[in-house]
Every structure is written in structure tokens, then in C-alpha cells.
Amino acid sequence: MSTSSDPTTTSATTAPKHETAVVLPANLHARPAGQLARAAAGFTSAIQLEYADRTVNPTGVLAVMGLGATVGSTVTVRAEGHDAEQAVTELARILATAE
């Protein structure tokens, strides 16, 4: 029997990572920032938004608004953890439909 690698040990120590970039259809103001914060708070993964060399935790409305992202800007959503894929998908959806 081989003892080289145990897949359960590997998956337990490495959390899934996901990332996507979204071009904003509108400025990142209070309403979409609030939607992002509420959505981000519902996930257990560590989530980050990145824009113009700034990175914030999207669970805070003021932090999201502080990015200063405007229409046509590209915002990157990153997440690491068990629900990272769902977190990135949901936050990207909110960003892509911001009004």
C-alpha cells in the first residue's frame, strides 16, 4: 500500500481559492456597497475586493465605498475558503448589476 499522499489531508489543509474581475456598469456608491457588505457577511470564506492597488474586506460598507471605484473600472473579487466559489460568484453578480 502506498503512503505517498492522503487526499483528505491535502484538502483539509488547502482552502479553495477563487478570483474574478468585474467591469463596473455604475459607480460603487452606497447602495451596491451595502448589497456587497450584506452578501459578504453571509459567507465563511475570507473575501477581498481589489481596485487600483487597494484591497478591502467587503463586509464593511465604508471600506467598499472607500475604494472609489467608478463606472468602467475593473474590480477584482477574491475569496479563500470552503464557500469561496459561491462568494466570488455572488459578489461578482452584485458588482456586474450595480446601478
Side-chain angles (χ1 to χ4, degrees), residues 38-67:
R38 283 189 299 277
F43 295 101
T44 59
S45 293
I47 308 169
Q48 297 179 327
L49 293 183
E50 184 180 296
Y51 168 71
D53 297 326
R54 297 188 65 204
T55 303
V56 299
N57 179 333
T59 58
V61 174
L62 293 177
V64 173
M65 290 175 58
L67 281 174

